[in-house]
Amino acid sequence: MAFSDHDVYRTFLSIRPQIQRFLQQRLRCRDTAADLLQDIYLRLMLLTPPPASEVEARAWMFTVASNLSIDHLRGQKRRGDLLDQYLGEETEADATTEPERMLQAQDQLLQIQTALAQLPDLCAEILYLSRIEGLSHAEIANQLNISVSWVEKQLAKALLHCRQAVDDEDA
């Protein structure tokens, strides 16, 4: 008898607590583990071809859990690196001693948010995938089903637009 879609879901439900513990141990966050567990469940419907046995299904689910947790941790590190890059090693005490600098930073953030809101959706998505998600130009092109050249042009357009928005306000 073949291993059916129903069997895959049944397997997921039976090992769900084990996968959740696995994710919680890796991520140290119950809520994030629950979110990633939901992602695994949603990916079950995309399984083609379906696993041939329960052992294959279990192995696939733990592999996906491992990959999702690694991706999540990498994303957290990228966001932390970006914050360090833009905020530096500044302490809260340093920031409160310079109220004028804080106001300038708030104004600049507002200018950038406004500039981002003015970008076409695809252009903004490319910028997000590149700078926040850390994807390469080829990965973005593949994900969005566009050429690498188009990704590069749109990314340059987005960065130029944001830079001009900040420069115009400073002038």
Side-chain angles (χ1 to χ4, degrees):
M1 185 162 105
F3 198 71
S4 69
D5 288 345
H6 177 71
D7 293 329
V8 172
Y9 286 103
R10 187 177 43 77
T11 301
F12 174 80
L13 292 174
S14 71
I15 66 168
R16 184 181 181 278
Q18 293 169 315
I19 296 173
Q20 182 144 12
R21 275 193 303 278
F22 171 79
L23 289 169
Q24 280 179 222
Q25 287 173 343
R26 286 187 134 202
L27 302 171
R28 305 278 185 233
C29 178
R30 179 183 304 247
D31 293 335
T32 303
D35 288 344
L36 295 183
L37 193 61
Q38 185 67 29
D39 285 350
I40 295 168
Y41 179 79
L42 294 172
R43 290 171 188 234
L44 290 176
M45 69 181 84
L46 303 175
L47 259 173
T48 53
S53 67
E54 182 175 346
V55 172
E56 254 186 58
R58 292 172 64 95
W60 180 86
M61 290 175 207
F62 274 100
T63 299
V64 171
S66 177
N67 291 342
L68 287 173
S69 66
I70 290 168
D71 289 348
H72 177 78
L73 292 171
R74 282 182 185 155
Q76 272 189 319
K77 183 179 180 334
R78 271 193 302 274
R79 285 185 288 279
D81 290 347
L82 283 172
L83 286 174
D84 286 347
Q85 178 183 347
Y86 290 107
L87 299 178
E89 296 297 321
E90 188 174 296
T91 65
E92 190 173 317
D94 294 336
T96 57
T97 60
E98 301 180 40
E100 184 177 319
R101 189 169 163 211
M102 288 291 290
L103 286 173
Q104 287 175 334
Q106 288 174 341
D107 288 343
Q108 192 174 39
L109 179 60
L110 184 59
Q111 294 161 7
I112 291 172
Q113 287 174 329
T114 302
L116 290 172
Q118 294 169 347
L119 289 173
D121 290 343
L122 181 62
C123 194
E125 185 173 4
I126 290 170
L127 180 63
Y128 172 82
L129 291 172
S130 173
R131 295 302 192 253
I132 304 300
E133 293 297 323
L135 298 181
S136 70
H137 294 179
E139 291 170 323
I140 296 168
N142 187 34
Q143 183 171 334
L144 299 177
N145 201 23
I146 57 178
S147 72
V148 173
S149 171
W150 188 249
V151 169
E152 292 167 351
K153 289 175 185 170
Q154 292 301 303
L155 189 55
K157 176 182 174 182
L159 293 172
L160 179 63
H161 180 72
C162 290
R163 191 173 299 119
Q164 286 175 340
V166 172
D167 290 346
D168 289 348
E169 223 22 72
D170 288 342

